[in-house]
Amino acid sequence: MDERGLLEEAAALGIRYVESVPGRAVAPSATIEELRATLDVPLTDEPVDAAQVIAELARDAEPGLAQMGSGRYFGFVIGGVLPVALAADWLTSAWDQNAGLAIPTPAATVIEEVAGRWLKELLGIPETASFALVTGCQVAHSTALAAARNHVLAQVGHDVERDGLAGAPPIRVIAGAKRHGTVDRALRFLGLGTGSVRVVPADGQGRMVVDALREELAREQGPTIVSAQLGEVNTGACDDLNAIADATSETGAWLHVDGAFGLWAAASPSYRHLAAGVERADSWATDAHKWLNVPYDNGIAFCAHPSAHREALGIRSAYLIHADPDAARDPVDWNPEHSRRARAITVYAALRALGRRGVADLVERCCANAQALAAGLAELPGCEVLNEVVLNQVLLRFEDDETTDRVVAAVQASGEAWMGGTVWNDRRAIRISVSNWQTSEADVERTLAAFAAARTNP
Ligand SMILES: Cc1ncc(COP(=O)(O)O)c(C=O)c1O
C-alpha cells in the first residue's frame, strides 16, 4: 500500500471507530491479559508491512479502549472530542511542526498567539497575561508555580534561576484541604516539597475557608504562594476568589488558581459568578482537553507577570533562531518543553468553530445534564447526592460503602455508562463528571436507567 492508501485506511479506521462509539459498551471489553496476548508480539528483525501494522493495531487495540468519547463516559474529568478538534488534530499530526520557535514555524506561532488571546478573553484573564500551551493542568501548575517561585524569591533578593534553592528563604504555599494532588506534585518537581504546604481547612463542599486563610497568612511573613481552586474534582465547588484575593492582596503573596475545569465557568454568562474575581490572580492553570473537548493532551498556564514567567522558563541557545520578542512570540520561552507539538491548532479550531456562544452552550449543557442526573439519582432508594451541583460534577452514595461500590461496579459492568468511585468524608462515594460535548438527554436517561437496574439488581 502506498502512503496515500495507508493514510486513507487509518482515517477510515478512525472514522469507523468514532462512529461506532455510541453503540459500544462504554467500558473496555478486553482485559490487560487478553490485550497482552494480541499486542505483545516479538519485535522482529525485519520490517513489517505498514498497512498490516495499522490494521492489526486497530483490530487488537479497540477491544481494550474505554469509550472516553462517549456521551455516557462520566469518569474522572474527561472531555470528549469535538469533530472539528479531531480534524484539526489530524492536520496537526500531518503538518508535524516542532512548535517551539516562531521563525521556523510561523503558522503554528500565529495560531498559538491567536488561541492564547481568545482563551484569555473567554476565561476572564487579563489580556496582558502571558500564557503557555502545555500537556495538561499538571504541567500548567508546574509552569505557573515556577514563575511564582521566581517572583516571590526575587522580592526577597534571591535569584532562583541562577542560584537554585540553596540559600533561599523557604516558600510557604497555602492551599485548601481539598486541593488537587497535582498542586503538591508540582511543588515536588519545583524543589519546594510538599512540606512547604500549609493546609487551610475546606468547607463541606471543598471550598477553602477564607477566615482560616487569613489566620494562616497572618501567622508568618516571607515568600508566600496561595493556591486557590475553581472546581473541586469531586463536587465542582469553587473557592471565593474575591475573598481570597482580598485576603492575599495586602500581603504580597502570589495567588495561583487551579481551574482545570472550573475556570471554564467564566466562559458562560450563567456560571461566570462562580469565577468572580478570577482576574485578580497572579497565575492560572487549566485544561483544554477537559471542558473544551479537544484531544489529549492539552493544558494551559497563564501568568499575570510575564517577566517572571519568561525568566523561569525562557531559554537561549546559539543554534536556535530566536524571534525579536516585540515581533513574535517564541513558545519555547514560556513552556517547559523544548520540542513540542503545535497543540494550539486544535484549540484554535475548537474556539473558532464554537464561538463564544458555543463555548457557553457547551458549559451550560454539561451543567444542565449534571443537574438532571443528580435529580434522577436522588429519586433512587438509598441514594444521597452529597454535593450542591453548582457545576458539572455530581457526588453521590448509597446507604453503605458496600452498596455504593456494588452499584458503581454494576453500572460499569453494564456497559451503559462509566463513572468511578472515590472517598468523601471517609465514606465511599461515586463521582459523575459531565464534561462531554455530546452528552444528551437520552444519555442521561440511559444512565439513570442503568443506575436503577444496578440498584435493584446489583
Ligand atoms: C482540579 C484539578 N486540577 C488538576 C487536574 C489535573 O489535570 P491534568 O490531568 O490535565 O493534568 C485535575 C484533573 O482532573 C483537576 O480536576
Side-chain angles (χ1 to χ4, degrees):
M1 200 182 275
D2 61 7
E3 183 175 357
R4 168 177 286 268
L6 181 70
L7 296 181
E8 284 176 349
E9 181 54 20
L13 286 165
I15 293 165
R16 220 174 300 149
Y17 170 74
V18 168
E19 288 177 345
S20 73
V21 165
R24 286 177 186 248
V26 181
S29 55
T31 63
I32 287 182
E33 276 315 307
E34 286 165 346
L35 290 160
R36 284 194 185 120
T38 52
L39 289 162
D40 187 356
V41 292
L43 181 62
T44 54
D45 288 331
E46 300 307 320
V48 176
D49 176 63
Q52 182 191 339
V53 170
I54 293 300
E56 292 183 4
L57 187 61
R59 182 198 66 198
D60 296 340
E62 280 187 9
L65 300 178
Q67 285 26 272
M68 293 191 180
S70 163
R72 283 169 281 111
Y73 192 92
F74 301 112
F76 313 103
V77 184
I78 304 275
V81 182
L82 293 163
V84 70
L86 178 56
D89 196 56
W90 287 354
L91 285 179
T92 306
S93 287
W95 294 339
D96 194 26
Q97 302 291 289
N98 183 347
L101 296 169
I103 292 168
T105 174
T109 302
V110 173
I111 290 167
E112 186 159 324
E113 280 173 12
V114 176
R117 200 182 70 235
W118 287 348
L119 285 164
K120 285 186 274 180
E121 253 178 69
L122 274 173
L123 301 175
I125 288 167
E127 62 177 337
T128 50
S130 51
F131 70 94
L133 267 75
V134 296
T135 49
C137 196
Q138 167 73 83
V139 178
H141 286 323
S142 305
T143 304
L145 294 174
R149 184 182 68 167
N150 171 294
H151 184 85
V152 298
L153 288 179
Q155 281 179 323
V156 291
H158 184 89
D159 181 345
V160 69
E161 311 315 329
R162 188 191 56 207
D163 299 332
L165 288 168
I171 296 177
R172 174 177 55 148
V173 181
I174 308 178
K178 294 289 188 184
R179 68 194 175 282
H180 197 267
T182 48
V183 172
D184 296 57
R185 195 155 174 248
L187 297 175
R188 283 160 48 207
F189 297 162
L190 292 168
L192 303 183
T194 52
S196 65
V197 180
R198 306 284 178 279
V199 180
V200 167
D203 69 11
Q205 295 297 310
R207 289 175 294 240
M208 188 193 289
V209 175
V210 182
D211 284 343
L213 167 66
R214 280 198 203 90
E215 281 166 28
E216 178 52 48
L217 280 165
R219 201 161 288 144
E220 281 174 45
Q221 308 254 303
T224 302
I225 297 168
V226 174
S227 185
Q229 181 167 258
L230 290 176
E232 201 279 334
V233 72
N234 299 295
T235 64
C238 295
D239 286 347
D240 181 344
L241 290 186
N242 267 322
I244 291 173
D246 287 345
T248 52
S249 59
E250 299 290 291
T251 66
W254 176 287
L255 176 55
H256 174 68
V257 176
D258 177 356
F261 61 96
L263 187 55
W264 291 85
S268 151
S270 312
Y271 289 89
R272 194 165 289 155
H273 61 279
L274 293 170
V278 69
E279 71 287 351
R280 299 174 64 187
D282 296 291
S283 60
W284 304 260
T286 190
D287 271 316
H289 58 217
K290 290 190 170 65
W291 228 342
L292 186 58
N293 280 245
V294 306
Y296 288 96
D297 36 31
N298 213 318
I300 312 133
F302 301 96
C303 184
H305 306 272
S307 56
H309 186 174
R310 193 184 185 132
E311 278 161 28
L313 276 296
I315 183 167
R316 282 287 169 278
S317 292
Y319 81 102
L320 297 179
I321 307 163
H322 298 285
D324 168 358
D326 292 331
R329 173 185 176 278
D330 280 328
V332 74
D333 280 333
W334 309 95
N335 273 69
E337 301 88 2
H338 190 243
S339 294
R340 60 189 285 272
R341 182 173 180 77
R343 58 173 57 83
I345 295 169
T346 55
V347 172
Y348 177 99
L351 292 180
R352 179 132 196 252
L354 290 170
R356 281 202 196 84
R357 188 63 247 156
V359 177
D361 282 347
L362 168 57
V363 168
E364 289 160 21
R365 236 179 17 254
C366 289
C367 294
N369 285 325
Q371 293 279 357
L373 281 162
L377 288 163
E379 309 263 292
L380 292 180
C383 180
E384 184 189 359
V385 174
L386 300 169
N387 65 325
E388 294 161 15
V389 183
V390 291
L391 211 56
N392 61 334
Q393 307 288 121
V394 184
L395 185 66
L396 63 135
R397 72 170 172 229
F398 288 86
E399 58 271 23
D400 52 49
D401 285 358
E402 202 215 330
T403 311
T404 302
D405 283 346
R406 249 190 310 120
V407 171
V408 75
V411 174
Q412 289 169 354
S414 74
E416 286 289 282
W418 202 95
M419 67 286 303
T422 188
V423 174
W424 185 255
N425 293 341
D426 300 326
R427 294 188 57 184
R428 297 292 300 160
I430 301 171
R431 306 175 55 257
I432 292 179
S433 177
V434 189
S435 310
N436 190 304
W437 68 281
Q438 61 185 338
T439 300
S440 63
E441 284 175 22
D443 288 320
V444 168
E445 289 309 318
R446 254 175 95 169
T447 303
L448 289 174
F451 265 99
R455 179 72 190 98
T456 38
N457 258 333

